[in-house]
Amino acid sequence: MVNKIVLSMALMRLLSGSIEIGVALFMLRYNDIERALVMNSSLALVGPIILMATTTVGLVGVSEQLSPSRFLWVAAGVTCLLIGILKK
């Protein structure tokens, strides 16, 4: 039987991939550089949101198994990832 947390993380990633494929198909359909750029920019929001959501679900799943110090290290790592992704 599949772990519920793993299943939810996988489903979020499948949703993210489906959104990316859908946007790529829209880009091809409209065949317009300006629209494609707007669509591509909107995907820049989807990626970090899915990253934060899947990481949160995963951390909730392992929170009982992590010591407080290890949990802080994981949180610091996630924070560094988000700063690197979102900083302009």
Side-chain angles (χ1 to χ4, degrees):
M1 185 168 168
V2 177
N3 186 316
K4 290 179 183 178
I5 292 177
V6 173
L7 178 63
S8 64
M9 291 173 73
L11 288 174
M12 282 189 264
R13 283 294 170 190
L14 285 170
L15 173 66
S16 175
S18 299
I19 291 170
E20 298 247 358
I21 290 170
V23 169
L25 293 173
F26 278 126
M27 285 180 185
L28 291 172
R29 176 174 162 85
Y30 289 118
N31 196 29
D32 181 45
I33 295 172
E34 288 83 17
R35 284 186 182 179
L37 188 58
V38 169
M39 288 183 230
N40 189 59
S41 298
S42 66
L43 285 177
L45 294 174
V46 173
I49 290 170
I50 296 294
L51 171 69
M52 290 187 317
T54 55
T55 302
T56 301
V57 169
L59 286 175
V60 167
V62 298
S63 64
E64 297 173 354
Q65 301 168 358
L66 289 178
S67 67
S69 63
R70 287 182 70 191
F71 192 78
L72 287 175
W73 279 112
V74 171
V78 171
T79 302
C80 289
L81 278 171
L82 293 175
I83 290 171
I85 291 170
L86 299 175
K87 189 165 181 160
K88 295 180 180 185

